[in-house]
Amino acid sequence: MKKDLYVFNSGFLRRKDNTIMFETDEGKKYFPVEEIESVFIFGEVDINKRFLEFMTEKNICVHFFNRYEYYVGTYYPREHYNSGIVILKQVEFYNDYNKRITIARSIVEGAVLNMLVVLRYYNSRGNMLKDEIETIERMRHNISACSDVNTLMALEGNIREIYYRCFNKILDDENFTFVRRSKNPPLDRINALISFGNSLLYATTLGEIYQTQLDPRIGYLHSTNQRKFSLNLDISEIFKPIIVDRVIFSLVNKKVLSEKHFEKELNGIILNDQGKKLFVSEYNQKLYSTIMHPKLNTQVSYKRLIRMEAYKLQKLFLENIEYKPFVARW
């Protein structure tokens, strides 16, 4: 199974024969390119044209983040799977507002159902979340009544705000308290974790879409505008609760992360380098953990589930097969 390569240190990324070479002051490391699916760069890394040509040849996306945890962008090699008919169908479903809002509602429905899966799990463990669960359930029934995307996104935002407040009951650490959602910059440790985790997931999802015939620039919940990519934001909404948030709960409740793993920057709070490494380690472990797929009757990783979500949309566009978002059975 291919793995993602995460680069935190500063140095040089180069092609060396059929391997990726990373050179620092401490020496050189080599990574067989056939084992790499995507590259995530967090450090100050120099690359050259020959390296990017190598990534294009091997169909490997390279994602860049700055030191403040912000996603900077992706080197997205020429689309080797893109299909003209699929792109035309994507545009057709975007331009037909009824088709677009139907997809957008399904995405929000999937996201909310996965939030409820998480909350019910922790409620069963004595975290007293019954009232919040009932409130979100009532609000969920308004999804089908949303006739435009802006109203739908506002409803999703209100639901997610209630959901995030539940973190204070789930997390067993007074140093991690959620007050309100803040970003650019995050104002507390919880928001720093949420923002960093979401950025990782957006990049991961973009890499999975790259392996399909879909064009990531055409989204349905997140409008296709001057934003470079939108579809990865749509699909990520479904998986945030069951990947990013579960990583946060694990790291905090197991005391893996503490105050020492954060620092103040840009009038906000971000993870320091050690904190990022710990988060990425747990995140990567979650991505490659597997569940028994209810329909395929085989073990499937969470990362593969993201790609399968893209395939389901592709089937909707090409074969008019109803799109049903993935909902976890935790």
Side-chain angles (χ1 to χ4, degrees):
M1 181 184 296
K2 290 187 176 183
K3 299 288 186 180
D4 294 325
L5 174 63
Y6 296 89
V7 181
F8 291 96
N9 297 329
S10 298
F12 300 88
L13 270 174
R14 298 287 187 264
R15 174 179 186 172
K16 179 64 175 176
D17 299 325
N18 206 39
T19 66
I20 296 174
M21 180 186 75
F22 183 53
E23 182 177 5
T24 67
D25 293 338
E26 299 176 357
K28 300 176 181 178
K29 291 184 178 180
Y30 298 89
F31 305 92
V33 73
E34 303 300 337
E35 297 178 5
I36 303 299
E37 191 158 57
S38 293
V39 180
F40 291 69
I41 297 179
F42 298 92
E44 293 297 324
V45 174
D46 288 341
I47 58 179
N48 58 17
K49 176 172 169 284
R50 187 165 181 260
F51 174 78
L52 292 179
E53 289 173 345
F54 192 35
M55 297 298 95
T56 301
E57 176 189 334
K58 298 299 181 180
N59 303 313
I60 295 174
C61 292
V62 184
H63 309 289
F64 297 90
F65 298 78
N66 65 21
R67 72 179 305 271
Y68 304 113
E69 304 178 355
Y70 299 147
Y71 168 74
V72 175
T74 294
Y75 176 72
Y76 199 77
R78 63 177 181 268
E79 293 88 346
H80 61 302
Y81 288 129
N82 264 182
S83 159
I85 187 63
V86 173
I87 294 174
L88 288 174
K89 284 292 186 179
Q90 279 187 260
V91 174
E92 175 191 318
F93 273 74
Y94 182 84
N95 286 334
D96 185 322
Y97 203 79
N98 287 331
K99 291 181 178 179
R100 179 188 171 191
I101 193 67
T102 299
I103 296 173
R105 288 193 201 107
S106 294
I107 290 168
V108 173
E109 179 82 6
V112 173
L113 286 173
N114 280 323
M115 292 180 213
L116 288 168
V117 167
V118 171
L119 296 184
R120 289 189 182 109
Y121 170 79
Y122 281 98
N123 186 62
S124 70
R125 294 166 68 92
N127 289 93
M128 306 295 289
L129 298 168
K130 183 173 180 289
D131 290 344
E132 290 88 345
I133 291 170
E134 290 178 352
T135 300
I136 292 175
E137 275 284 16
R138 287 195 299 270
M139 296 175 74
R140 181 175 74 87
H141 294 302
N142 295 325
I143 293 173
S144 60
C146 291
S147 58
D148 66 87
V149 171
N150 289 334
T151 302
L152 182 62
M153 291 193 74
L155 175 62
E156 190 270 346
N158 291 334
I159 291 174
R160 200 173 285 275
E161 193 71 18
I162 295 170
Y163 168 73
Y164 280 141
R165 288 205 297 270
C166 294
F167 282 27
N168 292 331
K169 295 183 179 180
I170 295 172
L171 296 174
D172 184 27
D173 193 324
E174 62 183 12
N175 293 310
F176 292 87
T177 303
F178 181 86
V179 178
R180 63 180 176 84
R181 186 72 175 101
S182 59
K183 45 190 172 182
N184 301 325
L187 299 179
D188 55 48
R189 299 182 189 96
I190 283 293
N191 277 289
L193 294 175
I194 294 171
S195 292
F196 184 60
N198 288 349
S199 292
L200 287 175
L201 184 60
Y202 295 150
T204 297
T205 304
L206 180 61
E208 293 305 298
I209 293 172
Y210 180 71
Q211 303 299 326
T212 74
Q213 292 182 317
L214 296 174
D215 191 317
R217 294 170 293 185
I218 306 171
Y220 300 89
L221 178 62
H222 296 84
S223 296
T224 298
N225 47 31
Q226 295 188 12
R227 184 190 291 116
K228 181 65 174 174
F229 303 116
S230 298
L231 187 58
N232 61 320
L233 306 184
D234 285 1
I235 295 175
S236 293
E237 294 296 333
I238 298 165
F239 291 95
K240 284 178 184 178
I242 55 176
I243 295 179
V244 174
D245 300 341
R246 287 176 64 184
V247 166
I248 293 171
F249 301 153
S250 177
L251 288 169
V252 174
N253 286 339
K254 292 179 180 178
K255 309 300 181 185
V256 176
L257 287 178
S258 63
E259 293 176 86
K260 69 180 182 181
H261 296 113
F262 297 83
E263 59 187 49
K264 292 185 177 182
E265 284 280 1
L266 295 177
N267 299 316
I269 294 178
I270 63 171
L271 280 162
N272 60 25
D273 288 346
Q274 184 59 31
K276 290 174 188 173
K277 290 177 182 178
L278 290 169
F279 193 104
V280 165
S281 176
E282 185 73 19
Y283 172 80
N284 212 39
Q285 184 174 332
K286 173 59 67 179
L287 278 185
Y288 289 99
S289 63
T290 61
I291 63 167
M292 178 61 70
H293 195 280
K295 291 185 178 180
L296 300 179
N297 198 31
T298 188
Q299 293 290 326
V300 178
S301 71
Y302 280 92
K303 192 174 186 186
R304 178 62 63 172
L305 286 171
I306 296 172
R307 189 181 304 184
M308 290 172 65
E309 205 69 12
Y311 284 142
K312 286 192 284 185
L313 284 170
Q314 189 170 299
K315 284 189 173 184
L316 168 67
F317 301 140
L318 292 178
E319 303 173 38
N320 207 30
I321 296 175
E322 182 184 4
Y323 168 68
K324 295 183 179 180
F326 173 77
V327 179
R329 297 182 179 182
W330 195 11

